[in-house]
Amino acid sequence: NISPVQLMQQHFSDRVKQIMEKYDVLAFEQLPNYCGPASMKQAIHAIRGTSSSQEYYGTLVGTNTSAGTDQRYIAGAMNSELGISNYTYVWTNSLTNSQFYNIVKRSIDLGYPPIMHIRMEEMPAYNYSNSGGHFVTISGHTITGIFDDDYSPINVYYVDPNRAYNNGSAFGEKMVSLPIIKNAGYSGVLVYAA
């Protein structure tokens, strides 16, 4: 027998699950120009509960401290490291908001946090001013109504490994509307599981 209070708690818990899909992704502070390997580490740690060093992941994707990481190599390295073939990538400028949402949702549903290459100057955590490419790990999204192809009510959670910017204000988990993060990836890739 279930009490009315337990029934209400269960209903509320089920309702929360319907409002947000989120993966527990820990933030790991990146080494200089190692946002790619740090984002890989964050995703792998969320999947396995353990991870190797950023330096190790950096060797898998050819990261160096002056140029960073070639974004096209992350999907293959993730697959190799995890022993899977689920991760692939797409250029975000080729996606509609609907396609972007469906890719992120599917990857999160499968238990594989996506990794995204963004332009910092397009993100509120960087006050729309710090220019350059940067990797973050997507940890989830909200689920709200989409009306007339308006995806602005949907928020995307992401985990940023950059503690160096503005006294750490960009570091950790953040939330931003789907159109903002999708547009921030204009010239970058979205590494996701299919």
Side-chain angles (χ1 to χ4, degrees):
N1 243 350
I2 190 165
S3 75
V5 172
Q6 289 171 320
L7 184 61
M8 189 174 81
Q9 288 171 335
Q10 180 181 356
H11 174 73
F12 179 74
S13 177
D14 290 344
R15 180 80 179 131
V16 168
K17 289 177 190 169
Q18 293 173 1
I19 295 171
M20 172 177 47
E21 292 181 346
K22 204 159 124 349
Y23 214 76
D24 189 20
V25 176
L26 295 175
F28 290 95
E29 183 177 357
Q30 72 180 63
L31 299 172
N33 278 340
Y34 265 62
C35 55
S39 293
M40 290 174 63
K41 179 178 178 65
Q42 290 173 163
I44 291 168
H45 200 89
I47 294 164
R48 286 186 175 161
T50 186
S51 57
S52 297
S53 70
Q54 291 177 51
E55 293 92 344
Y56 170 73
Y57 297 129
T59 62
L60 297 179
V61 292
T63 302
N64 67 64
T65 55
S66 60
T69 302
D70 187 326
Q71 55 192 345
R72 298 169 296 171
Y73 299 132
I74 290 181
M78 292 292 290
N79 287 332
S80 176
E81 182 63 17
L82 294 169
I84 60 172
S85 60
N86 297 57
Y87 274 101
T88 187
Y89 73 90
V90 64
W91 295 96
T92 52
N93 61 339
S94 69
L95 299 174
T96 65
N97 285 341
S98 174
Q99 291 168 324
F100 180 86
Y101 171 74
N102 288 323
I103 286 171
V104 167
K105 180 179 179 354
R106 173 98 171 121
S107 196
I108 293 295
D109 287 349
L110 290 171
Y112 297 104
I115 297 169
M116 185 172 181
H117 191 255
I118 60 167
R119 292 178 299 159
M120 292 182 287
E121 67 270 18
E122 298 293 326
M123 296 293 285
Y126 290 91
N127 299 317
Y128 301 103
S129 64
N130 194 35
S131 66
H134 182 57
F135 288 99
V136 297
T137 307
I138 295 178
S139 56
H141 60 90
T142 59
I143 304 168
T144 55
I146 301 164
F147 185 73
D148 288 338
D149 206 36
D150 178 11
Y151 283 77
S152 60
I154 293 179
N155 292 307
V156 174
Y157 295 91
Y158 67 94
V159 179
D160 194 322
N162 186 357
R163 192 185 295 268
Y165 177 77
N166 198 20
N167 297 314
S169 65
F171 182 74
E173 187 172 72
K174 306 290 180 200
M175 183 179 71
V176 68
S177 77
L178 182 140
I180 289 176
I181 195 165
K182 189 263 178 202
N183 291 335
Y186 177 75
S187 61
V189 299
L190 175 64
V191 178
Y192 66 97

